[in-house]
């Protein structure tokens, strides 16, 4: 029923239109690029050093002529003249470093030394610029620090004023005021009771109106006393919200 021969493979794509298999994967991410300011600072610091290195690399030292080399100016001199020149340090130094009599290797060394000195001068100028910027930043930071300390002192003074203004409303002050009000109201109730027992003082009986007025005052005073006492008991039991 089924054929024993497998189907032919699909045709291969042409090489001209086949995409490169060595391309960058889609999921790969390139490293973040540095900022422009960082590149500028790095280039400004590294530029003198790179230029100096390139200049020194270009000035290759001349080959050593050996012990038998003499300047052309001294080739026709006698041994006595050469001995006199060797004994005179100033003359020997002048012949060694003079452009007409010095060997090319000495000139190459001088050129490298000049490049090094120029690079050192550039570095010194750059360091002076950085020193000026650092001094400016330091003075600015010092001013900001002093301003911050002044603001901190002002805030502490304001906080002390705020604490003093809110002291009557603090939990300890409110509890003390409540306790004192309970004692005062108890004294008021006790004074009303004594006034009722003592009467008018001349033996006359109180009228019905006076008795009803005293009862009304006593009930109001006793009601206020029980209310304050209940508040104090609730506070003592920790049933006051907001502070505990």
């Amino acid at each position: 029923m089924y054929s024993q021969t497998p189907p032919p493979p699909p045709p291969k794509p042409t090489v001209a239109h086949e995409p490169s298999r060595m391309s960058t994967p889609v999921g790969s991410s390139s490293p973040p690029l540095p900022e422009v300011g960082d590149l500028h600072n790095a280039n400004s610091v590294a530029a003198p050093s790179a230029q100096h290195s390139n200049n020194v690399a270009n000035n290759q030292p001349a080959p050593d002529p050996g012990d038998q080399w003499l300047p052309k100016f001294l080739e026709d001199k006698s041994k006595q003249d050469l001995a006199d020149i060797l004994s005179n340090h100033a003359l020997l130094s002048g012949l060694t470093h003079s452009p007409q009599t010095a060997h090319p290797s000495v000139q190459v060394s001088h050129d490298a030394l000049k490049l090094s000195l120029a690079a050192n001068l550039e570095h010194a100028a750059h360091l002076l610029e950085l020193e000026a910027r650092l001094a400016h930043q330091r003075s600015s930071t010092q001013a900001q620090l002093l301003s911050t300390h002044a603001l901190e002192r002002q805030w502490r003074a304001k906080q002390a004023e705020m604490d003093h203004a809110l002291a009557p409303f603090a939990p300890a002050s409110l509890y003390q005021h409540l306790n004192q009000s309970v004692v005062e109201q108890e004294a008021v109730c006790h004074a009303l009771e004594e006034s009722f027992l003592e009467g008018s003082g001349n033996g006359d009986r109180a009228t019905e109106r006076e008795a009803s007025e005293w009862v009304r005052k006593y009930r109001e005073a006793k009601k206020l006393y029980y209310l304050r006492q209940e508040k104090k008991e609730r506070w003592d039991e920790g049933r006051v919200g907001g502070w505990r």
Side-chain angles (χ1 to χ4, degrees), residues 32-201:
L33 297 176
E35 297 182 358
V36 178
D38 298 338
L39 289 176
H40 177 70
N41 295 332
N43 292 335
S44 61
V45 175
S49 299
Q51 183 178 3
H52 172 64
S53 301
N54 294 333
N55 293 332
V56 172
N58 293 331
N59 296 329
Q60 297 296 334
D64 189 4
D67 298 337
Q68 303 299 324
W69 180 85
L70 282 177
K72 294 182 179 181
F73 178 75
L74 300 178
E75 289 180 354
D76 56 348
K77 300 297 182 181
S78 62
K79 292 182 179 181
Q80 184 62 34
D81 294 337
L82 294 177
D84 295 339
I85 293 173
L86 290 176
S87 61
N88 191 340
H89 180 72
L91 183 58
L92 181 62
S93 178
L95 291 174
T96 303
H97 298 286
S98 176
Q100 291 80 12
T101 57
H103 189 264
S105 61
V106 178
Q107 187 63 31
V108 171
S109 300
H110 287 176
D111 295 340
L113 180 60
K114 290 178 181 179
L115 292 176
S116 299
L117 292 176
N120 288 338
L121 290 177
E122 291 180 3
H123 283 297
H126 184 65
L127 289 177
L128 290 176
E129 181 183 358
L130 292 178
E131 183 182 4
R133 291 171 54 186
L134 178 60
H136 176 70
Q137 293 292 337
R138 182 178 296 172
S139 61
S140 177
T141 306
Q142 183 69 19
Q144 292 180 1
L145 182 60
L146 294 177
S147 176
T148 304
H149 288 336
L151 291 176
E152 184 179 3
R153 289 192 296 270
Q154 293 179 7
W155 162 246
R156 289 179 179 176
K158 291 294 183 181
Q159 189 176 16
E161 295 178 1
M162 180 184 65
D163 294 340
H164 180 72
L166 295 178
F169 305 98
S173 179
L174 291 177
Y175 181 78
Q176 183 180 2
H177 180 70
L178 178 60
N179 191 16
Q180 185 178 359
S181 65
V182 171
V183 175
E184 291 177 355
Q185 193 63 27
E186 185 180 5
V188 170
C189 295
H190 185 67
L192 288 175
E193 292 173 359
E194 288 183 354
S195 66
F196 177 77
L197 295 176
E198 291 176 359
S200 59

